Amino acid sequence: MGPTPAPAVTALLETSTTVRLRPQFEGNNISYAIGFKQINYLAETAVLNHFRTAGLPVGQLYQRFGLGFDVVDIHSRLGALLAVDDEAEAVVTPVTKDGENRFGFKVDLFVERDGQRLKCAGSTVRVLLRVDSHITAQEPLPAGLARFTAERLGSGERLETAAVAQPYGGFSDGRGTTGPDPVLTELVGEENAFGWRYRIPYFYCHFNERMQMSGFLRVMEEVEDLFLADRGLAIKEVLDTRGWIPVVTQSRIELLDESLMEEELYTVYTVEDIFKNLLYTCRMDCYVLRDGVLVKTATGTITHGYLHEIRPNVWEMATLDEPVVTALTTPRKASA
């Protein structure tokens, strides 16, 4: 057995913490409800507070030990509405198993409804501490922390590609394209999928170089928006004509490798399942092209349905009718 972990590391691994948080107003897109991305942000914020409470805030991890904090896996289930004015109670429970080299935490979000404590979401968050080459550590690591550090995040699957990437068209063309693009065409193939190529902006990144989990949550949200528009289900049009708005019941993203600032991110969004004409699940796979080889850097899934407003501020699940199911299951023909 190794040395006894330092008290701060023991606290990370063994002690639960609770913090009260409010969602950001940015996430209040429809009516008074908060969207899935901001709920994931709350889970991340609760874990950041857990590190702070243990005595290892992320700023000090970087400055003292040369370690970057990275959420490398986040899996959330949404059970009840989180409202814009809610103050959520976030309970963080360590779930790291012996021998695991990533911190694991269960994060449960609770709100008050009519005098009762109601669970609105539950997440599993995994964290890795990435050794940073930009700075020199000022102190040795606390005992027990080295197990959760890595020289890089993962080693994603490498795929040989016959496609020749098109050069970036210039800023006047915008940040991304849905095609025609030879690499996207190859990745999408004959699948019921949608492709999007996007230049990673610096404000989706952290620690000077790589895209962080919140950036991938933004990509997941945006690729869904683009996918629906591509299938003739643009969100505003559907909201205006049917009174329907997408709702998320669960999501997961796992980082497999590093995606670097200003690289081209190739995102493939594949419809995997439609459940009882109520919910549909899509898989998101992200790649970058390095030295002529595609590197898979992230993967995830998200499950959507639609809510419709039966009376002002009262929403219920909608049944997917035949035109919507047809749109979800019929890929648009793309040209290379």
Side-chain angles (χ1 to χ4, degrees):
M1 294 182 63
T4 301
V9 178
T10 298
L12 287 176
L13 293 170
E14 297 181 4
T15 303
S16 297
T17 56
T18 300
V19 63
R20 302 194 72 84
L21 302 168
R22 288 190 183 276
Q24 292 295 309
F25 184 55
E26 174 200 347
N28 179 210
N29 305 128
I30 298 297
S31 189
Y32 58 92
I34 292 295
F36 92 101
K37 182 181 64 183
Q38 295 291 341
I39 292 172
N40 279 281
Y41 286 0
L42 289 179
E44 180 184 67
T45 301
V47 172
L48 289 168
N49 178 75
H50 185 77
F51 273 73
R52 192 175 299 117
T53 301
L56 291 172
V58 297
Q60 290 191 26
L61 283 170
Y62 187 76
Q63 295 175 65
R64 294 168 58 190
F65 308 116
L67 297 175
F69 172 99
D70 276 274
V71 174
V72 293
D73 195 336
I74 186 165
H75 184 188
S76 297
R77 293 180 180 271
L78 287 63
L81 179 145
L82 180 67
V84 64
D85 295 318
D86 279 333
E87 182 180 55
E89 178 188 12
V91 180
V92 179
T93 305
V95 293
T96 308
K97 296 179 181 179
D98 291 344
E100 286 186 329
N101 63 355
R102 303 185 297 178
F103 287 106
F105 305 101
K106 181 182 177 185
V107 183
D108 293 317
L109 298 180
F110 299 91
V111 294
E112 290 289 329
R113 290 280 186 273
D114 301 321
Q116 296 188 342
R117 187 171 181 254
L118 175 69
K119 182 177 176 180
C120 64
S123 303
T124 301
V125 180
R126 303 205 179 274
V127 171
L128 190 60
L129 303 178
R130 203 275 209 177
V131 176
D132 198 292
S133 60
H134 294 96
I135 60 173
T136 301
Q138 302 300 306
E139 303 175 33
L141 296 182
L145 197 63
R147 163 184 162 196
F148 303 102
T149 68
E151 295 292 328
R152 64 176 293 111
L153 303 180
S155 181
E157 178 186 1
R158 267 62 176 168
L159 302 174
E160 296 292 338
T161 175
V164 177
Q166 293 178 340
Y168 188 70
F171 295 112
S172 63
D173 294 337
R175 287 191 177 274
T177 180
T178 60
D181 181 276
V183 176
L184 288 178
T185 298
E186 181 177 298
L187 284 170
V188 170
E190 299 300 318
E191 297 293 323
N192 179 16
F194 170 78
W196 177 38
R197 175 186 174 191
Y198 181 75
R199 176 182 177 274
I200 298 171
Y202 86 91
F203 46 85
Y204 282 16
C205 301
H206 65 179
F207 300 117
N208 305 325
E209 63 177 2
R210 62 188 178 277
M211 189 162 162
Q212 59 177 304
M213 180 60 78
S214 62
F216 282 101
L217 287 165
R218 288 168 158 182
V219 166
M220 178 173 270
E221 185 175 56
E222 189 160 357
V223 74
E224 166 74 9
D225 178 73
L226 294 170
F227 160 75
L228 289 174
D230 184 74
R231 296 295 175 95
L233 298 171
I235 290 174
K236 187 176 188 305
E237 182 180 354
V238 171
L239 183 60
D240 288 346
T241 59
R242 292 172 173 263
W244 292 10
I245 188 69
V247 62
V248 175
T249 60
Q250 64 174 314
S251 67
R252 181 180 184 182
I253 299 176
E254 181 181 9
L255 305 192
L256 306 175
D257 208 305
E258 297 177 0
S259 303
L260 305 182
M261 186 186 302
E262 299 183 2
E263 282 191 313
E264 297 286 321
L265 190 73
Y266 295 86
T267 300
V268 179
Y269 198 65
T270 305
V271 180
E272 289 200 316
D273 182 52
I274 297 178
F275 178 73
K276 294 185 177 180
N277 284 15
L278 287 174
L279 300 168
Y280 64 96
T281 297
C282 292
R283 187 181 77 251
M284 182 183 80
D285 296 305
C286 296
Y287 305 81
V288 297
L289 190 61
R290 293 189 187 129
D291 301 322
V293 176
L294 283 164
V295 182
K296 191 172 184 179
T297 60
T299 190
T301 58
I302 187 167
T303 299
H304 272 94
Y306 279 98
L307 292 178
H308 68 107
E309 196 171 21
I310 57 175
R311 56 183 182 275
N313 290 325
V314 177
W315 300 75
E316 67 179 22
M317 291 296 294
T319 300
L320 307 181
D321 56 25
E322 184 176 349
V324 171
V325 172
T326 298
L328 293 173
T329 55
T330 306
R332 179 179 65 86
K333 294 298 181 182
S335 58

